Amino acid sequence: MKYVADDHQLAQVHLQAAVAQAALGEFEQATARLDAVLALRGFDLLSMARVTAAFIDSLTLVTGNEWATGKLASKAQEQTKSLDERVPPARAHTLRLMSAWSSKDPASFEALFTAAAGDVAASQHVRDLFVYALEWTEDKAANSVNPQSPVKAVCSALTEHGPSHWPWKRPKAEPDGTGLGGGR
């Protein structure tokens, strides 16, 4: 049986494994898996970003402008320092992405992500969204959340927001009847 997974299939599996590893406290190994996700380009990478944002959103109650200000919406006006002054540029971009996502503003989310993905100098901005998801996973798991819960959450995000339109090819049986499709 010969089967070679497509890049998007590998990326999905690596994201699930990265979340599992982060939930178990293996953060360095988890972040190493992100390279397979970040190797995707264009629409495939944007789809994985949507999945990641939905996953983060499922782990927290923070919504809308709270991501960018760090305060409840009623207290956000008291903020004196801008987001860019408070956090590194990559994290500021991630917080803006999460603000757009949780505000149910997909056009802004896509525009912010696509702009960063198209800029070689902003590659860390793109990576930070995925790293941020692993940080949330590790934090939630450290606070006695069952490590299976984040894995289930990322699988749900993949199903709801991810690559359902991407084909999953199965290996074909060899002419001699061997292989997965051979029925033996």
Side-chain angles (χ1 to χ4, degrees):
M1 172 174 57
K2 185 175 181 180
Y3 177 68
V4 177
D6 292 334
D7 290 342
H8 66 80
Q9 293 169 324
L10 290 173
Q12 291 176 65
V13 172
H14 278 288
L15 182 61
Q16 292 168 345
V19 166
Q21 285 180 305
L24 295 172
E26 300 172 354
F27 194 78
E28 287 182 33
Q29 295 91 333
T31 56
R33 289 186 176 274
L34 295 180
D35 292 338
V37 176
L38 295 169
L40 295 173
R41 295 289 170 240
F43 183 76
D44 293 346
L45 182 59
L46 178 60
S47 292
M48 292 302 283
R50 284 189 206 114
V51 166
T52 303
F55 169 66
I56 295 169
D57 205 32
S58 73
L59 297 179
T60 182
L61 298 176
V62 177
T63 60
N65 198 38
E66 296 169 21
W67 281 106
T69 62
K71 298 188 183 262
L72 296 174
S74 61
K75 298 180 181 179
Q77 297 157 352
E78 300 171 14
Q79 190 70 296
T80 56
K81 285 186 175 181
S82 74
L83 179 62
D84 295 313
E85 293 172 333
R86 291 183 284 123
V87 297
R91 187 52 49 97
H93 184 262
T94 296
L95 295 175
R96 285 184 178 101
L97 282 169
M98 289 309 305
S99 180
W101 181 264
S102 68
S103 296
K104 306 214 182 316
D105 185 359
S108 293
F109 179 87
E110 290 178 14
L112 283 167
F113 189 83
T114 304
D119 183 1
V120 176
S123 63
Q124 289 302 326
H125 292 48
V126 172
R127 183 179 188 81
D128 190 67
L129 175 66
F130 297 96
V131 170
Y132 194 58
L134 299 181
E135 289 171 356
W136 268 98
T137 301
E138 186 178 44
D139 182 62
K140 289 295 184 182
N143 291 322
S144 72
V145 170
N146 180 342
Q148 293 176 342
S149 297
V151 175
K152 288 179 182 177
V154 78
C155 290
S156 294
L158 277 164
T159 300
E160 187 175 343
H161 299 284
S164 60
H165 58 282
W166 288 335
W168 282 83
K169 300 176 199 158
R170 295 191 176 270
K172 302 239 188 245
E174 298 296 323
D176 63 0
T178 60
L180 185 64
R184 294 183 192 202

